[in-house]
Amino acid sequence: QQQVKQSPQSLIVQKGGISIINCAYENTAFDYFPWYQQFPGKGPALLIAIRPDVSEKKEGRFTISFNKSAKQFSLHIMDSQPGDSATYFCAARFHSNYQLIWGAGTKLIIKP
Amino acid sequence: DAGVIQSPRHEVTEMGQEVTLRCKPISGHDYLFWYRQTMMRGLELLIYFNNNVPIDDSGMPEDRFSAKMPNASFSTLKIQPSEPRDSAVYFCASSLGDRDTQYFGPGTRLTVL
């Protein structure tokens, strides 16, 4: 019940296309859903995050869509650029202890 | 502002040796997390501290691993004795408890031969 399932494991998208990464969870005690971006040789860094009281959050080319009833959330990258090539992690946090439960990661490659 | 600082950035050691990884969290942050990242298992939480006190060490793989936080600005993760399967990138992250973001350090790449 503590798992966050992320898919796909890897994704190749043409420059200018839309990249979509999906995550699903079971535990309704999660209250915060961030996406982290990790470049090779670096630590993960927060990209965008959402709380379950909203269905969508947009920051520039990055959008999180959240479906509370389905217990799913997804990251959409519009107009994908080669600089977006990275590994993306979704996560979910327990309100009670601030612990993040991480998805397995998606390696995104944007082809020029 | 300095971010989370980790040292060393790379460590190569031989099986059976003791390894100590170090972390300096962002000043003022009251939560500190140690993670391990491998291709096979992804990002795993090993242990986390709140106000220098270990809260959950259930992710520590075995007794060979230990972590301490003697003060608010320093933490260590020790592996003794090290084994080849401990080879991974170890990340330290910190956060301010009532805020949402965990800030990660650059990681320590550990290779145990």
Side-chain angles (χ1 to χ4, degrees):
Chain A
Q1 250 206 341
Q2 287 198 1
Q3 282 187 326
V4 175
K5 295 182 179 179
Q6 183 172 347
S7 63
Q9 190 173 11
S10 61
L11 181 63
I12 299 174
V13 175
Q14 289 294 129
K15 178 182 175 183
I18 302 173
S19 304
I20 301 175
I21 305 171
N22 300 298
C23 284
Y25 64 97
E26 289 293 326
N27 198 321
T28 57
F30 294 137
D31 71 339
Y32 171 72
F33 301 87
W35 285 90
Y36 278 73
Q37 180 187 54
Q38 184 181 25
F39 293 106
K42 305 289 186 182
L46 180 67
L47 180 64
I48 186 173
I50 197 167
R51 296 190 183 279
D53 53 346
V54 296
S55 60
E56 185 176 281
K57 183 173 181 180
K58 184 175 181 179
E59 290 184 0
R61 297 184 294 109
F62 300 90
T63 300
I64 299 179
S65 296
F66 188 84
N67 186 328
K68 190 174 182 178
S69 60
K71 298 180 187 175
Q72 295 175 347
F73 58 110
S74 60
L75 175 68
H76 292 65
I77 306 174
M78 310 299 288
D79 186 26
S80 299
Q81 299 296 313
D84 298 330
S85 297
T87 300
Y88 291 81
F89 294 92
C90 65
R93 190 191 70 178
F94 285 107
H95 173 73
S96 57
N97 61 14
Y98 303 110
Q99 181 179 345
L100 286 176
I101 307 300
W102 295 83
T106 296
K107 184 172 183 178
L108 174 65
I109 297 173
I110 307 300
K111 284 198 165 183
Chain B
D1 270 350
V4 175
I5 299 172
Q6 290 187 248
S7 65
R9 293 295 312 277
H10 302 273
E11 177 81 34
V12 180
T13 191
E14 293 190 347
M15 183 174 63
Q17 296 298 306
E18 177 180 294
V19 175
T20 300
L21 312 182
R22 296 172 175 79
C23 174
K24 177 179 170 56
I26 292 173
S27 177
H29 282 191
D30 56 349
Y31 278 80
L32 184 138
F33 306 84
W34 281 101
Y35 289 93
R36 179 172 68 176
Q37 187 175 43
T38 61
M39 290 293 293
M40 290 297 295
R41 300 176 66 91
L43 200 57
E44 301 174 275
L45 176 66
L46 301 177
I47 184 172
Y48 75 97
F49 296 82
N50 177 222
N51 290 322
N52 313 338
V53 176
I55 302 301
D56 186 349
D57 65 354
S58 60
M60 297 285 260
E62 44 197 282
D63 292 345
R64 298 184 297 107
F65 286 69
S66 63
K68 293 182 180 179
M69 193 165 184
N71 56 63
S73 58
F74 184 66
S75 178
T76 60
L77 177 67
K78 186 176 293 186
I79 308 172
Q80 166 62 18
S82 59
E83 297 182 4
R85 60 193 168 119
D86 302 330
S87 297
V89 180
Y90 290 81
F91 288 104
C92 174
S94 71
S95 70
L96 190 55
D98 59 351
R99 308 291 170 83
D100 301 324
T101 306
Q102 287 188 16
Y103 295 86
F104 281 75
T108 295
R109 181 173 294 278
L110 174 64
T111 302
V112 183
L113 302 174

